[in-house]
Amino acid sequence: MTDNAHGMRGSWVTLLVAGSLLAGCSAQTDDGATRQSGSPSARRSPSTSASDSPSAGAAPSGGSSPATSGFTPDASLVPRTSKDGRRLAESVVLAPRDWGRGFVAQEPGESTPGTWAVLNESCRWQREKLPHGVLASASRYSSLPAGGGRGAVQVTAVATVHASVLGADEQLSTTLEEVLRCPEQRPRSDERITGLMSLGTPFGAREQEDADDSVLEAGEYVGNGGSAQPYRWMVARLGTVVVAVSLTGAKGNTAQELEQLGSKALAQMLTRIEQRLKGK
């Protein structure tokens, strides 16, 4: 992880501290679903002043005016084709070496081109063909092998490039909805993510000053009959690009360590977006 990324994105640590309080911020609705009092509404309406142009801003959660991170991409560099979208996504998403010393690729190490992950009606994750409006999406799967009394840490980095800001903003809205719909999810048949809660933080809230919008999910992972371990899913949007990281802990790894690792990883991808889309 580069020191530059860590220095530029220090406010993600503050956001994660807020996220660690998710359990204390939840309240039960009449139908028994868990809703977070600190989360934005499940479905947000973009400001009428926003447009589908790649450089347009999107409304903050619950707000009526656009929220932007202060970063304005060079319109000539913003992807408008699938080819350009793939090039950007693949240059932004983290490889094993980017996570730190000792990380290696899982098997498989990358997602199938032309697909992205979708949570179906049964709360199971599956890969589907990219829908209209999504130019490209790339996922890379890495792990830190067990050793020194600690279990293996599994991580995923994702970069998705949309054709418009409104489409990218919709992805974050959907992320919030999914936790309300599926507080328990299944990545695979023998794996479960349970007790999921989410916290949405637009630019300017809770000292979040690095992305146009962001979502943090916290829960526990249970796989292959093992004990429950911390799970984090962190998502951020900068213009038309959405980046995300998931982290699954194991014995000897604390939730705080996972959050710090995820914070640095997300910061690096946000920095890469700026570096590739900023004008001269």
Side-chain angles (χ1 to χ4, degrees):
M1 199 60 54
T2 64
D3 292 338
N4 180 50
H6 183 264
M8 291 179 62
R9 309 294 178 180
S11 63
W12 274 99
V13 176
T14 302
L15 177 59
L16 286 169
V17 170
S20 67
L21 302 177
L22 280 174
C25 296
S26 62
Q28 291 293 325
T29 60
D30 291 340
D31 61 359
T34 302
R35 188 179 299 275
Q36 286 68 55
S37 60
S39 298
S41 59
R43 177 69 63 180
R44 294 169 292 153
S45 299
S47 166
T48 54
S49 63
S51 72
D52 279 353
S53 64
S55 60
S61 305
S64 58
S65 60
T68 62
S69 62
F71 171 68
T72 301
D74 184 328
S76 67
L77 299 177
V78 176
R80 290 179 172 81
T81 66
S82 296
K83 180 179 179 180
D84 290 341
R86 286 195 301 272
R87 184 182 297 113
L88 177 61
E90 290 173 358
S91 70
V92 167
V93 70
L94 300 187
R97 63 180 180 277
D98 298 318
W99 286 92
R101 182 179 301 174
F103 277 88
V104 298
Q106 296 187 43
E107 181 58 44
E110 298 184 355
S111 59
T112 302
T115 68
W116 72 341
V118 175
L119 188 66
N120 67 19
E121 293 301 318
S122 301
C123 298
R124 293 177 179 270
W125 284 99
Q126 60 187 29
R127 298 203 70 85
E128 295 183 358
K129 182 179 178 180
L130 292 176
H132 177 73
V134 179
L135 299 179
S137 185
S139 300
R140 287 183 178 147
Y141 315 110
S142 307
S143 65
L144 182 64
R150 297 189 175 204
V153 173
Q154 310 287 338
V155 298
T156 298
V158 186
T160 302
V161 182
H162 292 259
S164 71
V165 166
L166 297 182
D169 186 63
E170 180 70 12
Q171 182 180 345
L172 270 75
S173 298
T174 300
T175 299
L176 285 168
E177 288 181 337
E178 287 174 340
V179 171
L180 298 175
R181 178 172 67 88
C182 297
E184 179 172 314
Q185 302 173 7
R186 288 187 175 272
R188 299 177 182 83
S189 59
D190 58 347
E191 299 175 337
R192 290 183 299 130
I193 301 171
T194 65
L196 278 171
M197 294 175 287
S198 63
L199 181 73
T201 308
F203 175 76
R206 304 184 188 93
E207 300 184 34
Q208 198 281 95
E209 299 179 347
D210 302 316
D212 296 327
D213 209 348
S214 64
V215 174
L216 169 67
E217 293 183 7
E220 292 186 325
Y221 168 89
V222 180
N224 297 318
S227 60
Q229 300 295 338
Y231 171 84
R232 297 294 183 268
W233 175 242
M234 302 163 59
V235 188
R237 178 182 68 81
L238 198 57
T240 61
V241 186
V242 177
V243 290
V245 296
S246 72
L247 306 99
T248 301
K251 179 182 178 181
N253 299 283
T254 68
Q256 182 179 10
E257 289 172 329
L258 288 182
E259 290 165 359
Q260 291 175 342
L261 178 63
S263 174
K264 292 179 180 179
L266 201 63
Q268 187 171 351
M269 288 198 288
L270 288 170
T271 298
R272 287 181 175 183
I273 295 171
E274 292 190 359
Q275 291 173 339
R276 286 153 179 76
L277 298 183
K278 68 181 180 180
K280 295 182 179 179

